[in-house]
Amino acid sequence: MAIPEGLSTTPFAPRYADHVEEWIDVYGNAVPLAIGDPAEEYEAIRTAVGASEYSMLYKWHVEGEEAVATVDAVFSRSVKGLGAGRIAYGVVVDDDGMMLDDVTVAVLAPDHVVVTGGNPATQQSLAAHAPAGTTVTERRDESAVLTLQGPRSRDVLQRLTHVDVSNAAFPYYTFLHDALIAGIPAQVSRLGFTAELGYEIQVPRERALELWDAVFEAGADLGIRAFGAIALLTCRTEAGMIMGELEYDHTVTPFECRMGWALDFDKGPFQGRDALLAKKDSVTGRVVSVVVDAAPEAAEGARLELDGRDIGHVTMALPSPALDGATLGLARVHRDAVKSGTALTAVAADGSKADATVRPTPVYDPERARVRA
């Protein structure tokens, strides 16, 4: 199927576009729902290795003598205290402490910090705190990012580089700034959105297809498969990982979307800090996992009731292979309904009702052991 008019073509699309039947819009880019069989794509991520386009996220380069201070003034965690080669995951909130974005931050040099996220409001916040001589520019179009996810992802990566990518040498939430991957200058970050061992390989856009071909050649005997949004969203729902405009928007604080842990109040001032401190003890909601006794199409967006009282809604619902195909959703609910085992009623858009039960989050690998393997 042709890429819909008005959407941008991503760097790796020439390698899979002919196999795509449906596209979705991700920050103005055409992203495939699936490239083949979504079930096989999911299985590759969980048991072997999957590869996917990840070039769509915004990349704000903050450059200048006050680059670190600028990001520190906006980001919820300490950038000044971020060690060499480390990545920090946290949030950006507005002056009222309400969610704008969940982002990662990497300090490339004392005068160069990269913030990766999904809301242009983050760039506006960074620019508002940047003094003269410090610039904030969005540069995602300069690069291509290929993510490798799954228990064999390290094996594929190691075949492409002389750099030691063992767990000891390259731990979770670190990055390599100047690595050669298949002979291509690259930045490699160890992270992901699947609850599996994973990496993101960023190369100059003009060398994207060269990287793709090298990765698939290296992983051919390891069961590598390209995957699309359905497989990714299934993994992230099982992992309880949040997404903007679903589990959070500008009406909630980080406390309500499972990101309270990312607020470093001891680091000093940052945008929204005082408002968050004032709201800390009055949190009314939470994101939870729910199993719904209905088809995913009916469960997604369904209102949730507790003893006849409206207490929230399902943000996304998918069949979960980790739960033998049961319909699993993430949901925003009132604090009265956060306890695991709470029985709820899901009311679909057509008025039909189904039983729903709150489950511990995440339902897949609750110890987060696989990503650190």
Side-chain angles (χ1 to χ4, degrees):
M1 175 182 172
I3 290 175
E5 186 176 347
L7 296 183
S8 297
T9 301
T10 50
F12 299 108
R15 288 294 183 268
Y16 55 73
D18 290 346
H19 306 287
V20 176
E21 295 183 0
E22 188 172 355
W23 303 86
I24 59 173
D25 180 352
V26 178
Y27 309 134
N29 292 267
V31 172
L33 272 178
I35 297 169
D37 181 343
E40 293 179 0
E41 294 174 16
Y42 170 92
E43 188 68 13
I45 297 169
R46 291 290 189 233
T47 64
V49 55
S52 188
E53 177 91 54
Y54 226 64
S55 311
M56 302 80 62
L57 292 177
Y58 298 107
K59 295 174 181 63
W60 297 291
H61 289 249
V62 185
E63 298 171 276
E65 288 187 7
E66 299 299 316
V68 169
T70 297
V71 181
D72 247 335
V74 173
F75 187 51
S76 67
R77 300 178 68 189
S78 175
V79 183
K80 183 179 179 180
L82 197 58
R86 301 290 305 180
I87 300 168
Y89 174 55
V91 300
V92 175
V93 300
D94 64 18
D95 290 330
D96 295 323
M98 310 309 278
M99 284 290 294
L100 292 177
D101 208 353
D102 62 306
V103 303
T104 58
V105 170
V107 180
L108 304 189
D111 61 352
H112 190 180
V113 183
V114 179
V115 180
T116 302
N119 188 343
T122 295
Q123 180 171 356
Q124 297 167 16
S125 293
L126 290 167
H129 288 84
T134 297
T135 60
V136 181
T137 54
E138 200 289 298
R139 289 160 52 182
R140 65 175 173 171
D141 290 342
E142 297 177 7
S143 60
V145 180
L146 186 66
T147 185
L148 300 180
Q149 298 288 312
R152 304 305 299 271
S153 57
R154 179 184 289 122
D155 299 326
V156 175
L157 182 61
Q158 190 65 81
R159 291 178 178 184
L160 297 168
T161 183
H162 295 297
V163 176
D164 182 1
V165 297
S166 66
N167 192 52
F170 192 7
Y172 189 45
Y173 266 85
T174 64
F175 70 94
L176 305 172
H177 183 40
D178 293 308
L180 282 179
I181 305 298
I184 307 168
Q187 177 174 312
V188 187
S189 302
R190 184 175 165 189
L191 40 72
F193 202 50
T194 63
E196 300 290 348
L197 173 68
Y199 305 87
E200 292 179 7
I201 308 171
Q202 179 177 322
V203 299
R205 187 181 181 101
E206 62 271 16
R207 304 196 70 173
L209 301 185
E210 187 180 343
L211 175 67
W212 180 280
D213 293 342
V215 163
F216 276 84
E217 181 178 350
D221 64 330
L222 299 176
I224 192 169
R225 288 190 69 101
F227 66 89
I230 292 174
L232 178 66
L233 294 173
T234 301
C235 289
R236 82 97 193 177
T237 302
E238 292 181 336
M241 295 178 174
I242 63 170
M243 289 181 66
E245 301 306 319
L246 289 171
E247 287 71 50
Y248 72 83
D249 53 27
H250 69 281
T251 68
V252 302
T253 69
F255 303 113
E256 296 162 296
C257 62
R258 311 189 69 85
M259 290 300 292
W261 64 268
L263 303 174
D264 183 357
F265 292 117
D266 295 330
K267 66 172 258 185
F270 63 89
Q271 179 171 282
R273 177 181 181 273
D274 292 346
L276 286 169
L277 283 170
K279 294 173 179 177
K280 186 177 181 181
D281 297 324
S282 58
V283 178
T284 60
R286 182 76 165 168
V287 171
V288 299
S289 298
V290 291
V291 173
V292 184
D293 188 17
E297 304 80 45
E300 187 158 322
R303 302 301 306 175
L304 293 171
E305 295 180 350
L306 176 64
D307 298 328
R309 178 166 58 99
D310 189 333
I311 51 85
H313 70 281
V314 178
T315 58
M316 176 172 283
L318 293 158
S320 168
L323 299 179
D324 298 321
T327 296
L328 173 68
L330 290 176
R332 290 161 58 171
V333 300
H334 188 271
R335 63 188 178 191
D336 292 347
V338 300
K339 186 178 180 181
S340 178
T342 300
L344 305 173
T345 300
V347 184
D350 63 2
S352 60
K353 296 184 177 182
D355 293 335
T357 307
V358 177
R359 291 285 299 263
T361 302
V363 302
Y364 182 83
D365 190 23
E367 303 302 319
R368 302 285 198 211
R370 295 175 70 89
V371 295
R372 297 181 173 88

